Amino acid sequence: MLSEEFFSTICGGPLSSNTAIAKDVGIYCHTLSPAYSVKSTFKNSSSSVNSLGVSETHVFAAQHEKAYVHVYSRLRGNQEAFVPFPERIRCLTLAGDVVVVGTTEGRLMLWETCTGRLVSTPARHVQAVSCLAATPYHVLSGSDDSNIHVWSLPQLLELDSAGEHEPQRSLSHHRAAVTGLAASPSTSSETNFCVSASKDKSCVIWNYQTGDALRTVLFPSPPLCLSLDPSARAICVSCEDGSLYVTEVFAEKPLLGAGAEDLSATVPVSSPFGATQPDVGPASCLSLSYDGTVLLTGHPRGQILRWNIAENKSPVELANLNAAVTNIAFVSPFPTGRPTKTVNIVKPGLAKGAYAFNSQFDAGLMPETRFDSLLNTRGFSQEAVESAITAFYQPATESAGDQDLQRQNEELWEIIREQRALQKRTLQRYAETKSSR
């Protein structure tokens, strides 16, 4: 069975004197399936909401109301670095090997972990950057000033850029602070979209490459956080009144697409998927598993609850971390496909003009053989199955090597038959001689 793992962070001191929980642990690595357990922990961290990034080799945690990031090595299981920044950090996300942070001054800072290069944008937000989302080609930043900026990732990382960085466009539809951002995994300009949540009690679905607001969803209470299904089929939202909403994007009455009604109309949502108890409080963070069947919510009083999307039953408490849970992030079960991996990060602050790439090859430099392809594929690849089926329908053909082997076998059998005949004649003569005596 495929193992599912997720990371969680806490912020603040312990809520009770529970000696069963270590006081100095700030980041937890959990195994969700096949059986729940705490796989590993990392110490000395206190991260606020939207401040966690998990890569294949490292964990990046921006510290609450601080100007530095703690970096932990997943391979070695320890804290690898303490990375300071010029301004206090409000949120953090990953774009491949690039750490993107949003500051309280309204600017973005991009840190290339393989080179140590640090790129900073002007303060295009007039208030703090509250949340970030990254795609292969874009970075989206939401702010307390109610605006969302769309940045081109290649332009931000351009080496010869001399001018000031500017966002490609701004999405200005909300009337209050933006509390959450999530982007679909698609890279097509026709099908990719992002979803933003705001304290104005709405979520807006955007085509962020054109700047069009595709649909506005209105909730009874201000959303605190949101999560998008890995296949971009549903939006999960947690509100201040403790209610959870799961809104399908492509349902019987779809929000988007050819079958959608008037896109300019606001869609009110009044029926929650579930609600938390008053002693638990509203979810401050949530995340959907990669198969879209399990929703995990983290709460200010330390609980991590598991919700079954398909069965819609009462939630199950997975753990109580004895401190406010601020981030939950699933680990992707899919291989990255990159030929290198960052084993040791390079701190920002290299001299201007110096650019050295520090990484490790994750595979051999020789061309991949058919055996390597079959070995690295989960199950049987489509090519191997088609080749096997085709072989059943083709008549067997004898190669030159098979013909040579068959000739050698026939020569050996001829020698064996001669030896058997000689042995038979020898036994007959022996029997005749013995009878004549």
Side-chain angles (χ1 to χ4, degrees), residues 380-417:
F380 295 99
S381 64
Q382 185 69 19
E383 181 183 359
V385 174
E386 292 178 354
S387 176
I389 294 174
T390 304
F392 278 111
Y393 289 96
Q394 292 180 350
T397 58
E398 294 183 355
S399 62
D402 294 337
Q403 293 176 358
D404 185 48
L405 183 61
Q406 184 177 0
R407 181 181 55 79
Q408 294 179 6
N409 287 339
E410 291 177 353
E411 292 177 355
L412 288 175
W413 276 112
E414 184 65 26
I415 294 174
I416 292 173
R417 285 193 290 269

Side-chain angles (χ1 to χ4, degrees), residues 224-362:
L224 294 178
C225 55
L226 67 84
S227 179
L228 191 62
D229 178 83
S231 299
R233 300 171 301 177
I235 305 168
C236 298
V237 177
S238 169
C239 294
E240 283 186 357
D241 59 0
S243 56
L244 291 173
Y245 296 88
V246 178
T247 305
E248 295 189 33
V249 179
F250 305 102
E252 295 181 0
K253 295 182 179 180
L255 299 178
L256 303 177
E261 299 178 355
D262 183 15
L263 294 180
S264 62
T266 299
V267 178
V269 178
S270 57
S271 300
F273 167 78
T276 57
Q277 298 297 324
D279 59 337
V280 175
S284 56
C285 57
L286 51 82
S287 183
L288 272 166
S289 62
Y290 273 80
D291 60 2
T293 61
V294 175
L295 174 65
L296 299 182
T297 57
H299 300 267
R301 299 183 183 179
Q303 297 92 342
I304 297 179
L305 302 183
R306 171 176 176 164
W307 306 74
N308 193 312
I309 298 295
E311 298 180 0
N312 194 13
K313 294 182 178 180
S314 299
V316 177
E317 181 177 314
L318 285 182
N320 191 324
L321 304 184
N322 198 29
V325 181
T326 52
N327 293 277
I328 294 178
F330 273 92
V331 178
S332 174
F334 307 110
T336 58
R338 296 196 299 267
T340 62
K341 65 180 179 181
T342 307
V343 177
N344 298 300
I345 59 101
V346 180
K347 289 186 177 182
L350 291 178
K352 187 176 181 180
Y355 193 88
F357 185 82
N358 181 14
S359 189
Q360 176 179 305
F361 285 105
D362 202 20

Side-chain angles (χ1 to χ4, degrees), residues 151-162:
W151 307 79
S152 171
L153 187 58
Q155 290 181 5
L156 290 174
L157 299 178
E158 187 178 2
L159 289 175
D160 298 331
S161 178

Side-chain angles (χ1 to χ4, degrees), residues 178-222:
V178 180
T179 57
L181 270 177
S184 68
S186 173
T187 57
S188 170
S189 59
E190 300 295 331
T191 59
N192 56 2
F193 63 88
C194 73
V195 184
S196 60
S198 171
K199 290 185 178 180
D200 61 6
K201 299 184 180 181
S202 70
C203 282
V204 179
I205 304 175
W206 307 85
N207 184 331
Y208 59 85
Q209 292 207 23
T210 62
D212 297 329
L214 303 178
R215 177 69 78 180
T216 300
V217 183
L218 189 63
F219 296 92
S221 178

